[in-house]
Amino acid sequence: MAERPGRAPFDAVLCDVDNVIRSYDPSGLHALERAAGLAEGTTAKVAFAPETGLPVLLGRVDLQEWVQAIAEGLAGLVPEATAWDLGTALLESPFSADETVVSLLRRARTRLPLVLVSNATVRLEDDLTALGLADLADEVVNSARVGLAKPDPRIYRLAAGLAGVRPERCLFVDDTEENTEAAAALGMHPVHFRTAADLERALEPLFTP
């Protein structure tokens, strides 16, 4: 690994996956929702409500059990078969990687450790492989594998430990403000991600002569 410049205020990058590296295309799901007379986003709202989403993100239920919970959450709004179709469509939504973000992270990793920290299902590792990103990071901390989810401070400490640095020497990148606030509370350098430009600015000290 190349020696990192001394000016950077961090020695590792901890980075979220969804809505940072990866984005979903919900157009098919939205079409089904419209056809069923539902507002776009209704299925996701049910799927990621704490009582429905946390069990799958913590690895306590499998993916089919999650779809069942989504269908049950939609009961009374649409027929049962439609509810199952909506849950399945959410689970199978296509996704893609932001190549600008990927390029920035690959460049950063030539200077310091990169750990992905994601509230995700057990599919995450396979999904990264499908995207050609199995080798993107040094470590992947998947909530469904470790039984901890952001903003629980334990998952941040676990990730920092895998990076081999103290929390206060970590740059933490996430699209959810609650998660960046939790990182800041541990002394990490938070980046509330909205666009790739946010990440580029945060990484600039790494590449400043």
Side-chain angles (χ1 to χ4, degrees):
M1 182 179 293
E3 183 178 353
R4 56 182 176 269
R7 292 181 60 181
F10 48 87
D11 298 320
V13 175
L14 312 184
C15 188
D16 185 23
V17 175
D18 288 328
N19 301 316
V20 178
I21 297 170
R22 165 173 72 171
S23 60
Y24 284 88
D25 176 5
S27 57
L29 173 60
H30 288 171
L32 288 176
E33 288 176 327
R34 291 194 300 271
L38 295 178
E40 292 180 4
T42 299
T43 307
K45 185 176 180 180
V46 170
F48 294 106
E51 64 274 14
T52 309
L54 272 179
V56 75
L57 296 178
L58 291 172
R60 295 171 181 167
V61 301
D62 64 26
L63 295 174
Q64 279 306 112
E65 289 172 320
W66 185 37
V67 172
Q68 179 179 348
I70 295 168
E72 290 171 353
L74 292 168
L77 298 176
V78 293
E80 182 179 358
T82 302
W84 275 89
D85 288 344
L86 290 166
T88 301
L90 181 140
L91 179 64
E92 302 297 340
S93 294
F95 51 81
S96 60
D98 185 319
E99 293 303 328
T100 301
V101 170
V102 169
S103 178
L104 287 167
L105 292 174
R106 288 197 185 281
R107 187 181 178 203
R109 193 182 169 210
T110 66
R111 303 294 183 95
L112 42 65
L114 170 64
V115 177
L116 304 184
V117 190
S118 182
N119 288 355
T121 74
V122 292
R123 274 193 181 178
L124 176 63
E125 292 81 3
D126 288 343
D127 289 350
L128 290 172
T129 298
L131 289 168
L133 301 179
D135 64 342
L136 177 64
D138 296 282
E139 301 282 351
V140 177
V141 179
N142 177 356
S143 65
R145 302 288 185 187
V146 301
L148 301 167
K150 298 174 291 187
D152 187 327
R154 292 175 295 175
I155 196 171
Y156 297 81
R157 294 191 183 100
L158 173 61
L162 290 171
V165 304
R166 302 187 311 275
E168 60 268 25
R169 294 298 300 174
C170 292
L171 184 76
F172 179 84
V173 184
D174 201 290
D175 69 302
T176 302
E177 193 167 8
E178 181 183 21
N179 294 340
T180 58
E181 288 173 351
L186 292 174
M188 294 182 177
H189 300 266
V191 178
H192 184 200
F193 182 94
R194 289 162 293 259
T195 71
D198 297 317
L199 178 61
E200 186 172 20
R201 282 191 297 271
L203 292 176
E204 187 175 354
L206 273 183
F207 310 113
T208 301

PDB file of all heavy atoms in Angstrom, residues 168-194:
ATOM      1  N   GLU A 168     -11.770   8.042  15.734  1.00  0.00           N
ATOM      2  CA  GLU A 168     -11.547   9.453  15.418  1.00  0.00           C
ATOM      3  C   GLU A 168     -10.627   9.658  14.211  1.00  0.00           C
ATOM      4  O   GLU A 168     -10.473  10.787  13.734  1.00  0.00           O
ATOM      5  CB  GLU A 168     -10.996  10.197  16.629  1.00  0.00           C
ATOM      6  CG  GLU A 168      -9.674   9.676  17.156  1.00  0.00           C
ATOM      7  CD  GLU A 168      -9.848   8.628  18.244  1.00  0.00           C
ATOM      8  OE1 GLU A 168     -10.902   7.952  18.278  1.00  0.00           O
ATOM      9  OE2 GLU A 168      -8.898   8.490  19.056  1.00  0.00           O
ATOM     10  N   ARG A 169     -10.055   8.570  13.690  1.00  0.00           N
ATOM     11  CA  ARG A 169      -9.218   8.658  12.492  1.00  0.00           C
ATOM     12  C   ARG A 169      -9.934   8.075  11.279  1.00  0.00           C
ATOM     13  O   ARG A 169      -9.304   7.762  10.273  1.00  0.00           O
ATOM     14  CB  ARG A 169      -7.889   7.940  12.721  1.00  0.00           C
ATOM     15  CG  ARG A 169      -6.999   8.574  13.771  1.00  0.00           C
ATOM     16  CD  ARG A 169      -6.571   9.989  13.390  1.00  0.00           C
ATOM     17  NE  ARG A 169      -5.821  10.001  12.145  1.00  0.00           N
ATOM     18  CZ  ARG A 169      -5.436  11.120  11.530  1.00  0.00           C
ATOM     19  NH1 ARG A 169      -5.754  12.302  12.038  1.00  0.00           N
ATOM     20  NH2 ARG A 169      -4.758  11.065  10.400  1.00  0.00           N
ATOM     21  N   CYS A 170     -11.270   7.968  11.363  1.00  0.00           N
ATOM     22  CA  CYS A 170     -12.070   7.437  10.258  1.00  0.00           C
ATOM     23  C   CYS A 170     -12.877   8.535   9.587  1.00  0.00           C
ATOM     24  O   CYS A 170     -13.494   9.366  10.253  1.00  0.00           O
ATOM     25  CB  CYS A 170     -13.048   6.373  10.763  1.00  0.00           C
ATOM     26  SG  CYS A 170     -12.277   4.856  11.343  1.00  0.00           S
ATOM     27  N   LEU A 171     -12.893   8.516   8.263  1.00  0.00           N
ATOM     28  CA  LEU A 171     -13.856   9.283   7.477  1.00  0.00           C
ATOM     29  C   LEU A 171     -15.068   8.384   7.286  1.00  0.00           C
ATOM     30  O   LEU A 171     -14.934   7.242   6.843  1.00  0.00           O
ATOM     31  CB  LEU A 171     -13.265   9.661   6.125  1.00  0.00           C
ATOM     32  CG  LEU A 171     -14.135  10.546   5.225  1.00  0.00           C
ATOM     33  CD1 LEU A 171     -14.119  11.984   5.726  1.00  0.00           C
ATOM     34  CD2 LEU A 171     -13.657  10.484   3.775  1.00  0.00           C
ATOM     35  N   PHE A 172     -16.251   8.889   7.623  1.00  0.00           N
ATOM     36  CA  PHE A 172     -17.462   8.080   7.540  1.00  0.00           C
ATOM     37  C   PHE A 172     -18.418   8.724   6.549  1.00  0.00           C
ATOM     38  O   PHE A 172     -18.804   9.889   6.705  1.00  0.00           O
ATOM     39  CB  PHE A 172     -18.132   7.961   8.907  1.00  0.00           C
ATOM     40  CG  PHE A 172     -19.400   7.153   8.875  1.00  0.00           C
ATOM     41  CD1 PHE A 172     -19.364   5.775   8.951  1.00  0.00           C
ATOM     42  CD2 PHE A 172     -20.630   7.781   8.740  1.00  0.00           C
ATOM     43  CE1 PHE A 172     -20.535   5.027   8.896  1.00  0.00           C
ATOM     44  CE2 PHE A 172     -21.810   7.045   8.688  1.00  0.00           C
ATOM     45  CZ  PHE A 172     -21.751   5.656   8.763  1.00  0.00           C
ATOM     46  N   VAL A 173     -18.831   7.961   5.530  1.00  0.00           N
ATOM     47  CA  VAL A 173     -19.653   8.475   4.433  1.00  0.00           C
ATOM     48  C   VAL A 173     -20.994   7.755   4.424  1.00  0.00           C
ATOM     49  O   VAL A 173     -21.044   6.523   4.360  1.00  0.00           O
ATOM     50  CB  VAL A 173     -18.949   8.262   3.076  1.00  0.00           C
ATOM     51  CG1 VAL A 173     -19.761   8.894   1.951  1.00  0.00           C
ATOM     52  CG2 VAL A 173     -17.521   8.800   3.108  1.00  0.00           C
ATOM     53  N   ASP A 174     -22.087   8.520   4.472  1.00  0.00           N
ATOM     54  CA  ASP A 174     -23.419   7.900   4.508  1.00  0.00           C
ATOM     55  C   ASP A 174     -24.432   8.915   3.986  1.00  0.00           C
ATOM     56  O   ASP A 174     -24.255  10.125   4.164  1.00  0.00           O
ATOM     57  CB  ASP A 174     -23.778   7.499   5.939  1.00  0.00           C
ATOM     58  CG  ASP A 174     -24.858   6.438   6.023  1.00  0.00           C
ATOM     59  OD1 ASP A 174     -26.019   6.772   5.693  1.00  0.00           O
ATOM     60  OD2 ASP A 174     -24.558   5.308   6.412  1.00  0.00           O
ATOM     61  N   ASP A 175     -25.508   8.416   3.371  1.00  0.00           N
ATOM     62  CA  ASP A 175     -26.537   9.329   2.856  1.00  0.00           C
ATOM     63  C   ASP A 175     -27.579   9.679   3.897  1.00  0.00           C
ATOM     64  O   ASP A 175     -28.429  10.549   3.646  1.00  0.00           O
ATOM     65  CB  ASP A 175     -27.237   8.712   1.635  1.00  0.00           C
ATOM     66  CG  ASP A 175     -28.099   7.511   2.015  1.00  0.00           C
ATOM     67  OD1 ASP A 175     -27.560   6.553   2.575  1.00  0.00           O
ATOM     68  OD2 ASP A 175     -29.310   7.543   1.753  1.00  0.00           O
ATOM     69  N   THR A 176     -27.555   9.023   5.054  1.00  0.00           N
ATOM     70  CA  THR A 176     -28.558   9.252   6.091  1.00  0.00           C
ATOM     71  C   THR A 176     -27.958  10.089   7.207  1.00  0.00           C
ATOM     72  O   THR A 176     -26.958   9.701   7.818  1.00  0.00           O
ATOM     73  CB  THR A 176     -29.068   7.913   6.654  1.00  0.00           C
ATOM     74  OG1 THR A 176     -29.613   7.145   5.584  1.00  0.00           O
ATOM     75  CG2 THR A 176     -30.140   8.138   7.709  1.00  0.00           C
ATOM     76  N   GLU A 177     -28.589  11.224   7.478  1.00  0.00           N
ATOM     77  CA  GLU A 177     -28.032  12.158   8.454  1.00  0.00           C
ATOM     78  C   GLU A 177     -27.938  11.542   9.848  1.00  0.00           C
ATOM     79  O   GLU A 177     -26.978  11.787  10.589  1.00  0.00           O
ATOM     80  CB  GLU A 177     -28.861  13.439   8.479  1.00  0.00           C
ATOM     81  CG  GLU A 177     -28.195  14.575   9.215  1.00  0.00           C
ATOM     82  CD  GLU A 177     -28.870  15.905   8.965  1.00  0.00           C
ATOM     83  OE1 GLU A 177     -29.950  15.934   8.331  1.00  0.00           O
ATOM     84  OE2 GLU A 177     -28.317  16.928   9.402  1.00  0.00           O
ATOM     85  N   GLU A 178     -28.929  10.745  10.222  1.00  0.00           N
ATOM     86  CA  GLU A 178     -28.886  10.094  11.531  1.00  0.00           C
ATOM     87  C   GLU A 178     -27.616   9.252  11.687  1.00  0.00           C
ATOM     88  O   GLU A 178     -27.008   9.214  12.766  1.00  0.00           O
ATOM     89  CB  GLU A 178     -30.122   9.202  11.714  1.00  0.00           C
ATOM     90  CG  GLU A 178     -30.182   8.490  13.054  1.00  0.00           C
ATOM     91  CD  GLU A 178     -31.368   7.557  13.183  1.00  0.00           C
ATOM     92  OE1 GLU A 178     -31.925   7.144  12.142  1.00  0.00           O
ATOM     93  OE2 GLU A 178     -31.742   7.233  14.324  1.00  0.00           O
ATOM     94  N   ASN A 179     -27.208   8.622  10.599  1.00  0.00           N
ATOM     95  CA  ASN A 179     -26.017   7.780  10.658  1.00  0.00           C
ATOM     96  C   ASN A 179     -24.732   8.603  10.725  1.00  0.00           C
ATOM     97  O   ASN A 179     -23.783   8.217  11.423  1.00  0.00           O
ATOM     98  CB  ASN A 179     -25.977   6.839   9.454  1.00  0.00           C
ATOM     99  CG  ASN A 179     -27.103   5.832   9.471  1.00  0.00           C
ATOM    100  OD1 ASN A 179     -27.712   5.564  10.501  1.00  0.00           O
ATOM    101  ND2 ASN A 179     -27.422   5.269   8.318  1.00  0.00           N
ATOM    102  N   THR A 180     -24.686   9.716  10.021  1.00  0.00           N
ATOM    103  CA  THR A 180     -23.488  10.562  10.101  1.00  0.00           C
ATOM    104  C   THR A 180     -23.395  11.240  11.463  1.00  0.00           C
ATOM    105  O   THR A 180     -22.298  11.435  11.991  1.00  0.00           O
ATOM    106  CB  THR A 180     -23.462  11.608   8.980  1.00  0.00           C
ATOM    107  OG1 THR A 180     -24.642  12.423   9.037  1.00  0.00           O
ATOM    108  CG2 THR A 180     -23.389  10.955   7.608  1.00  0.00           C
ATOM    109  N   GLU A 181     -24.531  11.572  12.045  1.00  0.00           N
ATOM    110  CA  GLU A 181     -24.514  12.169  13.387  1.00  0.00           C
ATOM    111  C   GLU A 181     -23.982  11.171  14.416  1.00  0.00           C
ATOM    112  O   GLU A 181     -23.225  11.541  15.320  1.00  0.00           O
ATOM    113  CB  GLU A 181     -25.914  12.636  13.765  1.00  0.00           C
ATOM    114  CG  GLU A 181     -26.374  13.866  13.000  1.00  0.00           C
ATOM    115  CD  GLU A 181     -27.826  14.225  13.261  1.00  0.00           C
ATOM    116  OE1 GLU A 181     -28.530  13.409  13.904  1.00  0.00           O
ATOM    117  OE2 GLU A 181     -28.263  15.303  12.816  1.00  0.00           O
ATOM    118  N   ALA A 182     -24.360   9.902  14.272  1.00  0.00           N
ATOM    119  CA  ALA A 182     -23.857   8.878  15.181  1.00  0.00           C
ATOM    120  C   ALA A 182     -22.355   8.706  15.015  1.00  0.00           C
ATOM    121  O   ALA A 182     -21.628   8.492  15.995  1.00  0.00           O
ATOM    122  CB  ALA A 182     -24.576   7.556  14.934  1.00  0.00           C
ATOM    123  N   ALA A 183     -21.876   8.794  13.784  1.00  0.00           N
ATOM    124  CA  ALA A 183     -20.436   8.701  13.540  1.00  0.00           C
ATOM    125  C   ALA A 183     -19.701   9.877  14.178  1.00  0.00           C
ATOM    126  O   ALA A 183     -18.646   9.702  14.803  1.00  0.00           O
ATOM    127  CB  ALA A 183     -20.167   8.659  12.041  1.00  0.00           C
ATOM    128  N   ALA A 184     -20.269  11.062  14.026  1.00  0.00           N
ATOM    129  CA  ALA A 184     -19.649  12.251  14.615  1.00  0.00           C
ATOM    130  C   ALA A 184     -19.573  12.140  16.128  1.00  0.00           C
ATOM    131  O   ALA A 184     -18.600  12.590  16.751  1.00  0.00           O
ATOM    132  CB  ALA A 184     -20.429  13.491  14.209  1.00  0.00           C
ATOM    133  N   ALA A 185     -20.579  11.535  16.730  1.00  0.00           N
ATOM    134  CA  ALA A 185     -20.594  11.368  18.183  1.00  0.00           C
ATOM    135  C   ALA A 185     -19.453  10.485  18.674  1.00  0.00           C
ATOM    136  O   ALA A 185     -19.037  10.587  19.830  1.00  0.00           O
ATOM    137  CB  ALA A 185     -21.935  10.792  18.635  1.00  0.00           C
ATOM    138  N   LEU A 186     -18.928   9.635  17.781  1.00  0.00           N
ATOM    139  CA  LEU A 186     -17.795   8.778  18.121  1.00  0.00           C
ATOM    140  C   LEU A 186     -16.463   9.429  17.768  1.00  0.00           C
ATOM    141  O   LEU A 186     -15.407   8.818  17.941  1.00  0.00           O
ATOM    142  CB  LEU A 186     -17.909   7.435  17.396  1.00  0.00           C
ATOM    143  CG  LEU A 186     -19.053   6.521  17.840  1.00  0.00           C
ATOM    144  CD1 LEU A 186     -19.127   5.306  16.931  1.00  0.00           C
ATOM    145  CD2 LEU A 186     -18.864   6.090  19.286  1.00  0.00           C
ATOM    146  N   GLY A 187     -16.534  10.645  17.245  1.00  0.00           N
ATOM    147  CA  GLY A 187     -15.315  11.351  16.874  1.00  0.00           C
ATOM    148  C   GLY A 187     -14.894  11.159  15.440  1.00  0.00           C
ATOM    149  O   GLY A 187     -13.828  11.636  15.030  1.00  0.00           O
ATOM    150  N   MET A 188     -15.698  10.438  14.647  1.00  0.00           N
ATOM    151  CA  MET A 188     -15.370  10.243  13.239  1.00  0.00           C
ATOM    152  C   MET A 188     -15.583  11.530  12.454  1.00  0.00           C
ATOM    153  O   MET A 188     -16.261  12.458  12.912  1.00  0.00           O
ATOM    154  CB  MET A 188     -16.226   9.116  12.652  1.00  0.00           C
ATOM    155  CG  MET A 188     -15.927   7.755  13.231  1.00  0.00           C
ATOM    156  SD  MET A 188     -16.924   6.434  12.478  1.00  0.00           S
ATOM    157  CE  MET A 188     -16.252   5.005  13.320  1.00  0.00           C
ATOM    158  N   HIS A 189     -15.029  11.575  11.261  1.00  0.00           N
ATOM    159  CA  HIS A 189     -15.190  12.717  10.361  1.00  0.00           C
ATOM    160  C   HIS A 189     -16.360  12.390   9.418  1.00  0.00           C
ATOM    161  O   HIS A 189     -16.194  11.584   8.496  1.00  0.00           O
ATOM    162  CB  HIS A 189     -13.910  12.962   9.559  1.00  0.00           C
ATOM    163  CG  HIS A 189     -12.718  13.245  10.418  1.00  0.00           C
ATOM    164  ND1 HIS A 189     -12.313  14.515  10.735  1.00  0.00           N
ATOM    165  CD2 HIS A 189     -11.864  12.394  11.049  1.00  0.00           C
ATOM    166  CE1 HIS A 189     -11.239  14.452  11.513  1.00  0.00           C
ATOM    167  NE2 HIS A 189     -10.954  13.174  11.721  1.00  0.00           N
ATOM    168  N   PRO A 190     -17.536  12.972   9.643  1.00  0.00           N
ATOM    169  CA  PRO A 190     -18.716  12.556   8.879  1.00  0.00           C
ATOM    170  C   PRO A 190     -18.853  13.279   7.546  1.00  0.00           C
ATOM    171  O   PRO A 190     -18.511  14.468   7.423  1.00  0.00           O
ATOM    172  CB  PRO A 190     -19.868  12.927   9.805  1.00  0.00           C
ATOM    173  CG  PRO A 190     -19.364  14.135  10.540  1.00  0.00           C
ATOM    174  CD  PRO A 190     -17.882  13.928  10.712  1.00  0.00           C
ATOM    175  N   VAL A 191     -19.353  12.557   6.567  1.00  0.00           N
ATOM    176  CA  VAL A 191     -19.708  13.135   5.268  1.00  0.00           C
ATOM    177  C   VAL A 191     -21.148  12.734   4.979  1.00  0.00           C
ATOM    178  O   VAL A 191     -21.442  11.551   4.780  1.00  0.00           O
ATOM    179  CB  VAL A 191     -18.788  12.616   4.143  1.00  0.00           C
ATOM    180  CG1 VAL A 191     -19.226  13.213   2.800  1.00  0.00           C
ATOM    181  CG2 VAL A 191     -17.337  12.927   4.436  1.00  0.00           C
ATOM    182  N   HIS A 192     -22.042  13.730   4.974  1.00  0.00           N
ATOM    183  CA  HIS A 192     -23.433  13.456   4.608  1.00  0.00           C
ATOM    184  C   HIS A 192     -23.510  13.466   3.086  1.00  0.00           C
ATOM    185  O   HIS A 192     -23.491  14.524   2.456  1.00  0.00           O
ATOM    186  CB  HIS A 192     -24.365  14.505   5.212  1.00  0.00           C
ATOM    187  CG  HIS A 192     -25.804  14.239   4.956  1.00  0.00           C
ATOM    188  ND1 HIS A 192     -26.778  15.210   5.039  1.00  0.00           N
ATOM    189  CD2 HIS A 192     -26.463  13.101   4.599  1.00  0.00           C
ATOM    190  CE1 HIS A 192     -27.955  14.696   4.751  1.00  0.00           C
ATOM    191  NE2 HIS A 192     -27.785  13.418   4.470  1.00  0.00           N
ATOM    192  N   PHE A 193     -23.575  12.279   2.494  1.00  0.00           N
ATOM    193  CA  PHE A 193     -23.486  12.126   1.044  1.00  0.00           C
ATOM    194  C   PHE A 193     -24.799  12.501   0.367  1.00  0.00           C
ATOM    195  O   PHE A 193     -25.862  12.012   0.726  1.00  0.00           O
ATOM    196  CB  PHE A 193     -23.151  10.671   0.705  1.00  0.00           C
ATOM    197  CG  PHE A 193     -22.995  10.406  -0.765  1.00  0.00           C
ATOM    198  CD1 PHE A 193     -21.749  10.458  -1.364  1.00  0.00           C
ATOM    199  CD2 PHE A 193     -24.102  10.102  -1.549  1.00  0.00           C
ATOM    200  CE1 PHE A 193     -21.597  10.201  -2.725  1.00  0.00           C
ATOM    201  CE2 PHE A 193     -23.966   9.856  -2.909  1.00  0.00           C
ATOM    202  CZ  PHE A 193     -22.704   9.901  -3.494  1.00  0.00           C
ATOM    203  N   ARG A 194     -24.700  13.367  -0.628  1.00  0.00           N
ATOM    204  CA  ARG A 194     -25.830  13.686  -1.504  1.00  0.00           C
ATOM    205  C   ARG A 194     -25.456  13.427  -2.965  1.00  0.00           C
ATOM    206  O   ARG A 194     -26.252  12.892  -3.722  1.00  0.00           O
ATOM    207  CB  ARG A 194     -26.281  15.123  -1.295  1.00  0.00           C
ATOM    208  CG  ARG A 194     -26.975  15.363   0.058  1.00  0.00           C
ATOM    209  CD  ARG A 194     -27.016  16.827   0.407  1.00  0.00           C
ATOM    210  NE  ARG A 194     -25.690  17.344   0.668  1.00  0.00           N
ATOM    211  CZ  ARG A 194     -25.191  17.558   1.881  1.00  0.00           C
ATOM    212  NH1 ARG A 194     -25.933  17.323   2.948  1.00  0.00           N
ATOM    213  NH2 ARG A 194     -23.967  18.016   2.039  1.00  0.00           N
TER     214      ARG A 194
END
